[in-house]
Amino acid sequence: MAAATRKELLGKVYKMIPPMLESFHKGQLGRVAVIGGSEDYTGAPYFSAMASAKLGCDMSHVICEPGAGAVIKTYSPNLMVHPYMRQSKNAASSESLDTVSAEVVGMLSRLHVIVIGPGLGRDKLMQDTCARVIEEARKQKIPFVLDADGLYLAQTRPELVDGCTECILTPNVVEFGRLAKAKGVDVNEGDPSELCSKLAKAFGGVTIIQKGSKDYISNGKHTLVSEGEGGLKRSGGQGDTLTGSLATLLAYRQAYHDKIWEHEGDLERSETLALAAFGGSAITRECSRLAFAEKGRSLQAGDLTEHVHQAYLNVIGEKGSKL
């Protein structure tokens, strides 16, 4: 796969995406949850879940802390917001790690994919709850994406993700350095694609998208480079569009392997995970380019949300309904 061209890779992503058919029912084209959202951070989980929805996911959930939930509900009535998470200082005496995590874990069987980290924060109860969720997601074979403070879990408790081939980490340059340090990988040795591969290998085959002027994507065996043009504004929150896009593509990947429509079925699971990662990166970069062309220096994370569908059309292209 490493030698495949961008066009060939995006052609394979296209194959993995379900057409729009009358026979489908609600939920078949994706049930995704973003776990995060705390007292201080309410935008990130919204941007991630909305990107997921705008890319076509049927059901986008946010699982967050109650204070964040009340705010996020005012952003959009299209998201389903569940105030199940708790920060240590806000937990009632009757609430513990066991009771809080049980409520969140109880949702997993209804989901295709989870994103952990947007707006999560470093609070111990929030982090410990997500650790429990990761353990259960692995048991139930539910793919997950870790970003932002979700990556802090991979950094401080690497055993949570070690050897998980259904997991995508999306570090920026600083977060990549912290993960590398945790795994004893020297970031000063080798070119970026080699380093990304080395770190993915150190984590036992997780997929890493190292974000930057080019995105390096590797599972330790195969490495792809996503270098579509992006915008030039580095405002916070753009990575949330990436995690939401990845979640929907991973849900589409599940639909592909469940064969909910007629297709050749010639793509293996390991390949489709890499394709979801590449597709998510390509769409997000195009999204950034479109938003920057319109907003320039004033660009904010929310501007990307409005361009997700057009970016998808530009990069992947819509499928006919008679497939």
Side-chain angles (χ1 to χ4, degrees), residues 25 27 40-41 63 73 83 85 97 120 140 150 172 178 212 219-220 231 237 239 246-247 277 307 315:
H25 57 75
D40 291 340
Y41 308 111
I63 304 173
K73 286 181 186 199
M85 298 290 284
L97 173 59
L120 181 66
Q140 295 186 28
N172 59 27
R178 290 176 188 148
N219 62 3
L246 291 170
H307 291 282
V315 170

Side-chain angles (χ1 to χ4, degrees), residues 20-323:
M20 306 289 287
L21 300 181
E22 282 186 7
S23 57
F24 291 159
H25 57 75
K26 183 176 74 175
Q28 281 189 292
L29 296 194
R31 300 187 296 274
V32 165
V34 178
I35 304 176
S38 54
E39 198 170 62
D40 291 340
Y41 308 111
T42 58
Y46 165 78
F47 294 136
S48 180
M50 279 305 291
S52 166
K54 294 275 188 180
L55 195 51
C57 175
D58 279 352
M59 304 172 78
S60 292
H61 301 262
V62 175
I63 304 173
C64 60
E65 191 269 339
V71 175
I72 294 167
K73 286 181 186 199
T74 70
Y75 295 159
S76 172
N78 296 311
L79 303 177
M80 286 160 282
V81 182
H82 310 273
Y84 298 161
M85 298 290 284
R86 292 291 182 274
Q87 291 176 247
S88 303
K89 66 178 182 178
N90 297 332
S93 57
S94 60
E95 294 172 325
S96 66
L97 173 59
D98 287 342
T99 63
V100 173
S101 58
E103 201 150 17
V104 181
V105 163
M107 279 192 68
L108 291 183
S109 63
R110 293 158 31 202
L111 301 170
H112 293 125
V113 185
I114 52 175
V115 176
I116 296 175
L120 181 66
R122 300 276 178 94
D123 175 80
K124 188 173 188 313
L125 182 54
M126 297 280 277
Q127 289 271 323
D128 289 349
T129 301
C130 286
R132 293 268 183 101
V133 171
I134 289 171
E135 289 168 350
E136 191 57 36
R138 290 189 68 168
K139 283 180 196 166
Q140 295 186 28
K141 295 184 168 47
I142 297 170
F144 57 94
V145 179
L146 295 186
D147 187 41
D149 286 318
L151 291 170
Y152 186 67
L153 281 165
Q155 176 193 331
T156 56
R157 312 181 209 186
E159 68 281 358
L160 286 170
V161 298
D162 277 341
C164 183
T165 55
E166 292 283 299
C167 160
I168 300 178
L169 312 184
T170 60
N172 59 27
V173 64
V174 174
E175 292 160 340
F176 186 89
R178 290 176 188 148
L179 291 169
K181 189 176 180 184
K183 280 294 186 180
V185 173
D186 187 348
V187 294
N188 298 311
E189 288 185 9
D191 65 47
S193 66
E194 282 176 16
L195 282 173
C196 189
S197 176
K198 195 180 287 187
L199 186 58
K201 204 173 286 181
F203 273 105
V206 304
T207 291
I208 294 175
I209 303 177
Q210 184 184 4
K211 299 179 292 192
S213 55
K214 298 176 183 177
D215 293 344
Y216 294 95
I217 302 164
S218 184
N219 62 3
K221 293 178 182 174
H222 303 287
T223 301
L224 306 173
V225 183
S226 172
E227 49 189 334
E229 184 186 349
L232 298 177
K233 181 69 192 288
R234 301 287 176 261
S235 56
Q238 294 184 59
D240 300 312
T241 293
L242 172 63
T243 58
S245 299
L246 291 170
T248 291
L249 290 175
L250 287 170
Y252 288 166
R253 167 184 180 248
Q254 188 59 49
Y256 174 86
H257 290 297
D258 286 346
K259 213 157 187 184
I260 68 169
W261 78 99
E262 285 297 317
H263 59 72
E264 294 168 1
D266 56 342
L267 300 172
E268 297 293 324
R269 286 192 75 88
S270 61
E271 184 176 12
T272 54
L273 190 90
L275 291 170
F278 187 83
S281 166
I283 290 167
T284 304
R285 295 177 76 90
E286 173 67 1
C287 216
S288 175
R289 185 190 72 80
L290 291 170
F292 182 72
E294 182 184 314
K295 300 287 186 177
R297 192 176 291 270
S298 74
L299 180 143
Q300 300 295 306
D303 297 320
L304 270 69
T305 307
E306 299 312 309
H307 291 282
V308 170
H309 183 238
Q310 190 58 53
Y312 164 75
L313 294 177
N314 292 358
V315 170
I316 311 291
E318 192 49 275
K319 301 190 89 155
S321 57
K322 296 181 180 177
L323 296 179

